[in-house]
Amino acid sequence: MAKIRTAALPEPSGPAYPDWRRLRGLASTRAALQKSVKGGTLPPVVLLVGRRGLGKTLLAAELAAMFLCDTRDACGACDSCRMTLAGVQPEILHLANDGESIDLETAQSAQEHVSLRPQSGAAARVVLVEDLDRLTVPAANRLLKTLEEPPHGARFVLTSSRPGAILATVRSRAVAWRVAPPPYAELVAIVSELAAERGLTLPEEPGALERIAKLAGGAPGEALRALERGAVHALEGTARDLVEPDRLGLFDAAQSLRGAPASSLLEALEIELNARYHDSLLTGRPVTEARRAKARRTKLRAARRATAHGRVAISAQLVAESFALI
């Protein structure tokens, strides 16, 4: 194990670095990345792709730390990891998501960072970019050559929940690493544990936490956000109401869901529509009802594809009206 030294750390100069030790789940993904780092087989430009709320930012922060860690496993205890967690690691340029686009000037700073030689014998110079889909076209064009032929020792760790919104020329220069949701049983335990840590009150109804996890599309972060804003019952109600034939009920339900993420809405719809479609077939209900459910499922899949590729900003109200007309 690496020896812990207690040298004084300089003051942080930028946004707080994500504390990867808070990450729950994704054990197999973390192990695979760690193995690749230790084996030297990981490409210099990696794009972590997955739905919002899975913990991609924490995972990316951990991966960036691995490149510089004394033991290459982001131990959190060596000098390098302590500096990284304190936000004062000079070898890592962390471009956090501050709600702004990644402009030309920011892209230039990333380019300059990896062009410098690592200090104090470090193994790498790392650029960590949250939500690469914020990259503007001029910034993307500026980074293209660097991403295609990174300088020796340069590492880019990128994340995105909307890879389809990334310029194709940039996306083609990164190796995508898909981050899948944790197993269902593990997901429920993670949500329960994190909710307790944050002092959130869990619903008392039997099976409520399981429903929340499903409505969140398997993403612990989305489930926690639903608990924090008290929108769980709105999500559940909308999942039911959006498949009813009454257009007014659909419209009212969608209005109540304002502010909820499209991923939660679509995930809830898919679960409910699948159940109704299969139930219609098994119980011998009228063929027209099964066909209507199937048509809604087809439209839902198209909406999810469009959202995943960043081509459409899904509105709960428009989805409700669309489903009401089928």
Side-chain angles (χ1 to χ4, degrees):
M1 175 175 290
K3 183 179 179 180
I4 301 176
R5 296 184 290 275
T6 57
L9 299 176
E11 289 296 317
S13 58
Y17 192 82
D19 188 347
W20 65 85
R21 297 170 299 181
R22 296 187 292 108
L23 181 60
R24 301 290 188 277
L26 308 182
S28 60
T29 303
R30 298 165 82 179
L33 288 170
Q34 187 180 95
K35 181 179 179 181
S36 295
V37 170
K38 289 185 174 182
T41 59
L42 201 66
V45 184
V46 176
L47 173 62
L48 301 179
V49 176
R51 64 185 55 176
R52 183 171 178 259
L54 283 176
K56 295 188 304 300
T57 295
L58 294 179
L59 180 61
E62 183 175 23
L63 175 57
M66 287 180 192
F67 292 120
L68 301 166
C69 174
D70 288 354
T71 57
R72 297 293 186 270
D73 59 3
C75 68
C78 68
D79 275 0
S80 176
C81 284
R82 290 174 58 244
M83 292 176 70
T84 300
L85 288 166
V88 294
Q89 172 56 265
E91 310 298 351
I92 295 179
L93 175 63
H94 173 211
L95 301 181
N97 186 348
D98 56 3
E100 301 292 333
S101 298
I102 302 174
D103 58 16
L104 185 61
E105 184 178 353
T106 305
Q108 183 176 354
S109 68
Q111 204 172 35
E112 292 174 350
H113 178 77
V114 296
S115 69
L116 300 175
R117 294 177 62 86
Q119 302 177 21
S120 305
R125 294 280 284 182
V126 187
V127 174
L128 167 58
V129 184
E130 298 178 25
D131 298 317
L132 186 67
D133 42 84
R134 298 180 294 126
L135 199 66
T136 64
V137 173
N141 290 332
R142 178 64 187 251
L143 281 177
L144 279 178
K145 187 65 175 177
T146 302
L147 293 176
E148 186 173 12
E149 298 179 5
H152 178 71
R155 296 284 180 173
F156 285 87
V157 181
L158 319 167
T159 75
S160 179
S161 300
R162 302 188 309 132
I166 302 171
L167 200 65
T169 49
V170 171
R171 199 168 63 244
S172 66
R173 285 161 172 77
V175 173
W177 194 297
R178 185 159 296 278
V179 181
Y184 179 66
E186 183 181 348
L187 170 65
V188 174
I190 290 171
V191 173
S192 179
E193 180 183 350
L194 292 177
E197 289 180 4
R198 300 187 185 188
L200 298 176
T201 302
L202 295 175
E204 298 179 356
E205 301 91 334
L209 194 57
E210 287 76 4
R211 292 197 300 275
I212 293 169
K214 285 183 178 180
L215 292 171
E222 286 297 285
L224 288 172
R225 276 187 278 272
L227 285 170
E228 287 172 343
R229 66 173 178 265
V232 174
H233 295 297
L235 284 171
E236 291 180 326
T238 301
R240 290 190 298 270
D241 294 340
L242 283 179
V243 292
E244 296 298 335
D246 174 43
R247 183 176 180 183
L248 182 60
L250 290 168
F251 182 80
D252 291 343
Q255 292 289 82
S256 71
L257 196 65
R258 280 186 174 180
S263 59
S264 299
L265 172 65
L266 296 176
E267 189 74 25
L269 277 170
E270 183 174 46
I271 292 169
E272 187 69 19
L273 286 171
N274 284 340
R276 288 184 177 237
Y277 178 64
H278 290 295
D279 185 56
S280 296
L281 296 178
L282 292 174
T283 58
R285 291 181 181 177
V287 176
T288 53
E289 183 174 342
R291 287 176 177 169
R292 185 181 297 114
K294 185 175 182 180
R296 287 168 172 160
R297 289 168 72 232
T298 300
K299 177 164 286 193
L300 173 63
R301 283 195 296 271
R304 291 192 70 182
R305 283 196 300 271
T307 304
H309 294 156
R311 293 194 299 267
V312 177
I314 296 296
S315 158
Q317 177 178 327
L318 293 178
V319 171
E321 293 179 352
S322 175
F323 273 74
L325 294 173
I326 298 178

